[in-house]
Amino acid sequence: MQNTKILKITFGAVVLIMSVYSLWTEDFTYQNITLFFLGLFMSVLGVEESKKKEGRRWNVFVFTAIVLFATLLIQYVMVLFG
Protein backbone atom coordinates (compact mmCIF):
# COMPACT_ATOMS: atom_id res chain seq x y z
CA MET A 1 0.00 0.00 0.00
CA GLN A 2 2.92 2.31 0.67
CA ASN A 3 4.32 1.80 -2.82
CA THR A 4 1.09 2.81 -4.51
CA LYS A 5 0.94 5.95 -2.39
CA ILE A 6 4.45 6.94 -3.49
CA LEU A 7 3.61 6.20 -7.13
CA LYS A 8 0.36 8.19 -6.92
CA ILE A 9 2.14 11.22 -5.50
CA THR A 10 5.00 10.99 -8.00
CA PHE A 11 2.86 10.52 -11.12
CA GLY A 12 0.33 13.10 -9.95
CA ALA A 13 3.06 15.67 -9.34
CA VAL A 14 4.62 15.02 -12.75
CA VAL A 15 1.25 15.41 -14.49
CA LEU A 16 0.45 18.57 -12.56
CA ILE A 17 3.85 20.21 -13.16
CA MET A 18 3.91 19.37 -16.86
CA SER A 19 0.30 20.50 -17.36
CA VAL A 20 0.89 23.81 -15.60
CA TYR A 21 4.08 24.32 -17.60
CA SER A 22 2.25 23.65 -20.88
CA LEU A 23 -0.58 26.02 -20.01
CA TRP A 24 1.73 28.73 -18.70
CA THR A 25 4.10 28.77 -21.68
CA GLU A 26 1.52 27.68 -24.30
CA ASP A 27 4.06 25.08 -25.45
CA PHE A 28 2.33 21.72 -25.89
CA THR A 29 5.28 19.70 -27.17
CA TYR A 30 5.36 17.64 -23.96
CA GLN A 31 1.69 16.69 -24.14
CA ASN A 32 2.47 13.08 -25.05
CA ILE A 33 4.66 12.64 -21.99
CA THR A 34 1.98 14.22 -19.83
CA LEU A 35 -0.65 11.83 -21.19
CA PHE A 36 1.67 8.88 -20.62
CA PHE A 37 2.15 9.81 -16.96
CA LEU A 38 -1.59 10.44 -16.63
CA GLY A 39 -2.17 6.91 -17.91
CA LEU A 40 0.29 5.56 -15.36
CA PHE A 41 -1.44 7.58 -12.64
CA MET A 42 -4.84 6.17 -13.63
CA SER A 43 -3.39 2.65 -13.70
CA VAL A 44 -2.09 3.02 -10.16
CA LEU A 45 -5.49 4.34 -9.04
CA GLY A 46 -7.14 1.31 -10.66
CA VAL A 47 -4.79 -1.13 -8.95
CA GLU A 48 -5.36 0.55 -5.61
CA GLU A 49 -9.16 0.48 -6.04
CA SER A 50 -9.11 -3.19 -7.09
CA LYS A 51 -7.42 -4.12 -3.81
CA LYS A 52 -10.24 -2.59 -1.77
CA LYS A 53 -13.09 -4.88 -0.81
CA GLU A 54 -15.85 -2.36 -1.46
CA GLY A 55 -14.14 -0.56 -4.36
CA ARG A 56 -16.09 -1.07 -7.58
CA ARG A 57 -14.69 1.80 -9.66
CA TRP A 58 -11.36 0.18 -10.49
CA ASN A 59 -12.55 -0.82 -13.95
CA VAL A 60 -13.24 2.84 -14.82
CA PHE A 61 -9.66 3.80 -13.92
CA VAL A 62 -8.18 0.90 -15.88
CA PHE A 63 -10.42 1.61 -18.89
CA THR A 64 -9.36 5.27 -18.85
CA ALA A 65 -5.69 4.28 -18.70
CA ILE A 66 -6.15 1.89 -21.64
CA VAL A 67 -7.84 4.63 -23.68
CA LEU A 68 -4.98 7.04 -22.91
CA PHE A 69 -2.33 4.50 -23.91
CA ALA A 70 -4.25 3.59 -27.09
CA THR A 71 -4.52 7.26 -28.00
CA LEU A 72 -0.79 7.71 -27.56
CA LEU A 73 -0.08 4.59 -29.62
CA ILE A 74 -2.33 5.73 -32.46
CA GLN A 75 -0.77 9.18 -32.42
CA TYR A 76 2.73 7.69 -32.46
CA VAL A 77 1.88 5.42 -35.40
CA MET A 78 0.33 8.31 -37.33
CA VAL A 79 3.44 10.45 -36.83
CA LEU A 80 5.73 7.54 -37.70
CA PHE A 81 3.95 6.52 -40.90
CA GLY A 82 2.12 9.72 -41.78
Side-chain angles (χ1 to χ4, degrees):
M1 196 65 140
Q2 184 66 20
N3 291 338
T4 57
K5 187 174 184 178
I6 293 170
L7 288 174
K8 268 192 341 187
I9 292 171
T10 304
F11 293 149
V14 168
V15 168
L16 182 67
I17 289 169
M18 293 182 80
S19 297
V20 168
Y21 171 79
S22 293
L23 288 173
W24 188 269
T25 61
E26 297 179 4
D27 179 21
F28 299 103
T29 56
Y30 300 115
Q31 184 178 11
N32 292 339
I33 299 169
T34 305
L35 287 177
F36 176 74
F37 278 107
L38 184 61
L40 290 176
F41 179 70
M42 296 301 281
S43 299
V44 170
L45 285 177
V47 167
E48 190 176 54
E49 281 290 320
S50 70
K51 291 182 180 180
K52 292 181 182 177
K53 297 282 188 220
E54 68 277 353
R56 304 270 307 162
R57 316 183 286 216
W58 66 270
N59 51 4
V60 175
F61 290 122
V62 172
F63 177 74
T64 305
I66 290 171
V67 168
L68 285 171
F69 290 136
T71 303
L72 288 173
L73 181 66
I74 290 170
Q75 185 177 7
Y76 179 71
V77 168
M78 288 179 65
V79 167
L80 192 64
F81 295 115

